[in-house]
Amino acid sequence: MVDTSSWHGKTPKRSGRSLNQGMDTAVAAPASKPSRRRRNRQASSDATAEPALSPKAQRALKRQAARAQQELIQYAVFSLLGAVVVGLLLSLLVEPKIGIGALVAILCLALSFKYPRQAIFAFVIYLPFSGTVTYALGGSGILQLAKDAIYIPALIGVIQFCRKTKQPFIIPPALKLPLSILLTLLTMTLLFVNLPQQLAAPPGQHPILIGIIGLKVLLGYLPLIACIYYLIRDRNDLYFLLRVQVVLILICCSLGFVQYMMLKTGVCPGTTATGADGFKPSLAARCFFGGSLLYNPAQGQIRLPGTFVAPWQWGWFLISSGFFCFGTTFSDRNPFWRLIGLITLATVCVLAVLSGQRIALVLVPITVVGLLVLTGQVANLKRFVPIGIGMALILSILVAQNPALLSQRWESFQSRWEASPPQEFIREQFDWARREQEGILGRGVGRATNSARIFGQVELVETYHPKLLFEIGYLGLLATLSLYTALTITTYRAYRSVKDPNLRGYAASMWVFVLFISFFPYYYPLDVDPVNIYYWLAAGIALKLPALDRQERFQQDSQSPSKKRKLTKRELKQLKQQQAAETFD
């Protein structure tokens, strides 16, 4: 048996019957056959009833809760005192902003390590606001890595949990081989390419640090699959996480609309530069939220960053948000949250037009239509018809009120396409990357990673797969594609194995997102926030859904007298893994 004792000295807060309790023995038939209504009412009460706890057990639970509360208070106080001391010293010796940043960072590190489950939620919540926070505190390049002060300690906690409960950390197992090959190639590139570059580098250039950042960007968030897998313990956790995500999207889109109205009404001046600079996003035009923007209506130019650092991050946030909103719109069990999902999805479509993001303007509706087909929701007339009518009504009203705006955005997209057709641009990028090859290991890990520019000069490669070819060569590119292919196949199998209609709808949305991002050839979404995090988040959700589906069926079987049976060895193994995962707190 797997040790299901709690993590960090705590026991699971939830109580109730074990999933396999009573499944090993047969149950005698009832003496008389009750009516159908009575049987349904009795089955419903049996499914929700919990065994009464003895007074001794109740006292033990109260003592446990008191100890946990006392432990939290003591740990928080000591962490706060240590952070305040370090923050005061840095404020006096260096700069007050540095001291405040250090105080917050130390608190995040300490609390995230102690409470990784809550830290993962905080990480997901903080992500869409990270750009706004970064520039509100001065815009330092180091601040752009601040979210990792939450993620890394939580990740260490998850690793410790997996070691303690003997649970797998690499999820799914199909990733082990391609991941091992890719890590081997990356290590060889660091040793035989980045290290020699470091030895011959001029002052101010740090190829080794560039390589570390490149490695972190490429694979640093892959363990988020395991974090999300163990974060979601049951269906309630799943719905909570996805509803929080929809609320975050709605808040960010609302702030993006406020930003647009501030620029339109003159509260923010917009772009005041002239010449070529009048056509480029800049921090000088920043408007309350996010980072650099471009707003020059006289020239028909608008590129808003929303709550993110740059406009292209905001565009990909809108694209990825469509997948999460779609899942909630069609698959949430609560009609209220399905309505919220529909409103948020419509808001995403509106912001794709207002923000001036040409790629979002095109891809948001395309991905929604693709999701309708690939997830089978177009055949689910009971939900598709009212949602489709509602969506069409909302968008029709908005288009009727602003026909000139939509026409202007479409003309901007057409002019961009004609000036640089995507297929030609991608081919040119591949040709350039092939010409730049030196040996079989590429030009060095991170040498075309935009976020690594704080440690030295990097190349700007605007499409993802040529960027990989430039950095790690043909072998590295093939190994990376093998990893993404393995993940896409396993998420597809996970989706196909789910039987519950609502869970299956979520699984389909997450699988399509993984498929779309894995092989999308234009731009480099897996290199920038938030897609480089949402990609692994979606994979973790998709891979967890079959376990939740089995958990539901186990519970139904345990409550149904006619289905009492012994579990197979495979079912027992899966059940033990689920019980161990429920101790993640």
Side-chain angles (χ1 to χ4, degrees):
M1 289 292 291
V2 175
D3 181 12
T4 59
S5 61
S6 65
W7 193 16
H8 290 308
K10 302 188 295 295
T11 56
K13 296 179 180 178
R14 60 187 69 194
S15 61
R17 179 175 297 179
S18 172
L19 297 182
N20 62 345
Q21 182 176 348
M23 298 180 74
D24 296 337
T25 57
V27 176
S32 60
K33 184 177 181 180
S35 66
R36 177 177 298 179
R37 182 177 299 177
R38 182 179 176 185
R39 288 200 308 270
N40 292 339
R41 185 166 58 247
Q42 181 179 357
S44 176
S45 63
D46 288 344
T48 57
E50 292 186 354
L53 297 176
S54 65
K56 183 177 180 180
Q58 292 178 2
R59 290 193 297 270
L61 286 176
K62 290 181 179 179
R63 289 195 300 270
Q64 172 195 337
R67 285 196 302 269
Q69 183 178 11
Q70 183 179 7
E71 180 184 359
L72 171 61
I73 294 173
Q74 290 177 349
Y75 189 81
V77 168
F78 282 117
S79 300
L80 180 61
L81 289 175
V84 167
V85 170
V86 175
L88 284 175
L89 289 175
L90 290 176
S91 298
L92 296 174
L93 298 176
V94 185
E95 186 181 349
K97 283 187 177 181
I98 300 296
I100 295 173
L103 186 150
V104 174
I106 292 173
L107 276 179
C108 289
L109 289 168
L111 294 176
S112 297
F113 177 74
K114 182 68 173 177
Y115 302 101
R117 188 169 186 274
Q118 290 77 5
I120 295 169
F121 269 121
F123 176 71
V124 173
I125 293 171
Y126 173 73
L127 176 63
F129 305 105
S130 58
T132 298
V133 174
T134 294
Y135 284 108
L137 297 178
S140 169
I142 300 298
L143 287 173
Q144 296 183 21
L145 304 175
K147 63 183 180 298
D148 295 325
I150 304 174
Y151 167 66
I152 293 176
L155 174 60
I156 295 172
V158 174
I159 294 172
Q160 289 185 338
F161 163 75
C162 291
R163 292 182 60 185
K164 179 180 178 181
T165 58
K166 299 181 180 179
Q167 297 302 305
F169 178 69
I170 301 300
I171 298 174
L175 295 186
K176 290 182 179 180
L177 179 59
L179 180 59
S180 300
I181 295 173
L182 179 57
L183 284 174
T184 302
L185 290 171
L186 291 172
T187 303
M188 292 174 62
T189 305
L190 282 171
L191 292 177
F192 299 118
V193 180
N194 289 75
L195 182 57
Q197 290 175 355
Q198 179 67 52
L199 297 177
Q205 299 289 318
H206 307 282
I208 282 293
L209 295 180
I210 290 175
I212 292 173
I213 294 296
L215 180 61
K216 177 252 182 187
V217 169
L218 183 59
L219 293 176
Y221 295 108
L222 184 148
L224 193 61
I225 295 177
C227 295
I228 294 299
Y229 189 90
Y230 295 117
L231 164 69
I232 301 173
R233 299 170 298 185
D234 53 29
R235 186 185 288 230
N236 292 330
D237 285 342
L238 171 72
Y239 282 116
F240 178 75
L241 175 63
L242 293 170
R243 289 168 182 175
V244 165
Q245 184 67 14
V246 168
V247 171
L248 291 173
I249 294 168
L250 185 59
I251 292 173
C252 289
C253 288
S254 300
L255 294 178
F257 180 75
V258 170
Q259 185 181 67
Y260 173 78
M261 294 305 299
M262 285 181 171
L263 289 162
K264 187 175 182 180
T265 57
V267 175
C268 295
T271 301
T272 57
T274 58
D277 291 337
F279 294 85
K280 298 178 181 178
S282 68
L283 286 173
R286 181 176 180 267
C287 181
F288 287 93
F289 312 110
S292 59
L293 66 79
L294 168 63
Y295 185 75
N296 192 348
Q299 300 294 333
Q301 299 295 313
I302 176 172
R303 303 289 183 272
L304 302 187
T307 57
F308 284 84
V309 170
W312 48 86
Q313 293 183 355
W314 176 247
W316 278 99
F317 170 75
L318 294 175
I319 294 167
S320 60
S321 296
F323 292 86
F324 290 97
C325 295
F326 184 93
T328 299
T329 301
F330 282 93
S331 302
D332 198 286
R333 58 185 174 185
N334 190 318
F336 171 77
W337 283 104
R338 290 202 296 270
L339 176 62
I340 296 297
L342 174 62
I343 294 172
T344 307
L345 185 59
T347 306
V348 169
C349 294
V350 171
L351 265 293
V353 176
L354 296 181
S355 299
Q357 300 300 315
R358 288 176 292 228
I359 192 168
L361 175 67
V362 175
L363 288 184
V364 167
I366 287 177
T367 53
V368 171
V369 173
L371 281 166
L372 286 171
V373 176
L374 292 175
T375 63
Q377 293 295 348
V378 71
N380 186 6
L381 298 180
K382 183 178 180 181
R383 288 189 180 177
F384 171 71
V385 171
I387 291 174
I389 293 174
M391 187 75 172
L393 182 62
I394 293 172
L395 295 180
S396 298
I397 293 173
L398 293 172
V399 170
Q401 291 179 343
N402 301 278
L405 180 64
L406 183 61
S407 176
Q408 183 186 35
R409 297 294 187 268
W410 182 251
E411 290 174 1
S412 174
F413 169 75
Q414 285 182 316
S415 62
R416 174 64 177 176
W417 184 287
E418 293 171 357
S420 178
Q423 68 276 10
E424 291 296 324
F425 182 70
I426 294 170
R427 183 183 61 79
E428 291 172 1
Q429 294 270 288
F430 266 114
D431 290 341
W432 175 83
R434 284 195 295 266
R435 291 194 304 268
E436 292 292 319
Q437 287 300 296
E438 292 181 357
I440 63 172
L441 295 176
R443 298 295 294 272
V445 181
R447 298 300 291 186
T449 300
N450 193 43
S451 59
R453 66 186 184 277
I454 59 175
F455 296 116
Q457 183 178 359
V458 298
E459 295 288 343
L460 176 61
V461 185
E462 297 185 69
T463 50
Y464 187 64
H465 301 98
K467 178 254 185 188
L468 292 175
L469 177 60
F470 176 81
E471 284 192 350
I472 54 181
Y474 290 100
L475 295 178
L477 173 60
L478 291 175
T480 307
L481 289 176
S482 299
L483 178 69
Y484 295 156
T485 302
L487 185 61
T488 303
I489 292 173
T490 52
T491 51
Y492 173 75
R493 289 175 176 172
Y495 146 62
R496 295 294 296 175
S497 67
V498 176
K499 306 301 181 184
D500 183 273
N502 290 333
L503 296 182
R504 188 180 177 87
Y506 275 125
S509 299
M510 297 299 101
W511 165 70
V512 175
F513 181 61
V514 172
L515 171 68
F516 174 73
I517 296 299
S518 294
F519 304 104
F520 188 74
Y522 193 68
Y523 197 61
Y524 43 98
L526 277 169
D527 254 20
V528 296
D529 295 343
V531 178
N532 64 338
I533 294 172
Y534 286 161
Y535 176 79
W536 308 108
L537 170 69
I541 293 172
L543 294 170
K544 182 65 177 184
L545 289 173
L548 297 183
D549 189 43
R550 289 191 297 267
Q551 179 184 358
E552 293 285 328
R553 285 186 277 118
F554 285 154
Q555 289 175 334
Q556 292 173 2
D557 288 350
S558 66
Q559 299 296 336
S560 175
S562 61
K563 294 184 179 180
K564 300 280 185 180
R565 61 179 178 84
K566 289 187 176 181
L567 297 178
T568 64
K569 291 183 178 180
R570 181 180 179 184
E571 289 174 334
L572 282 172
K573 182 180 178 181
Q574 293 168 347
L575 180 59
K576 292 174 184 178
Q577 290 179 348
Q578 179 64 27
Q579 289 173 336
E582 288 180 355
T583 67
F584 180 69
D585 202 352

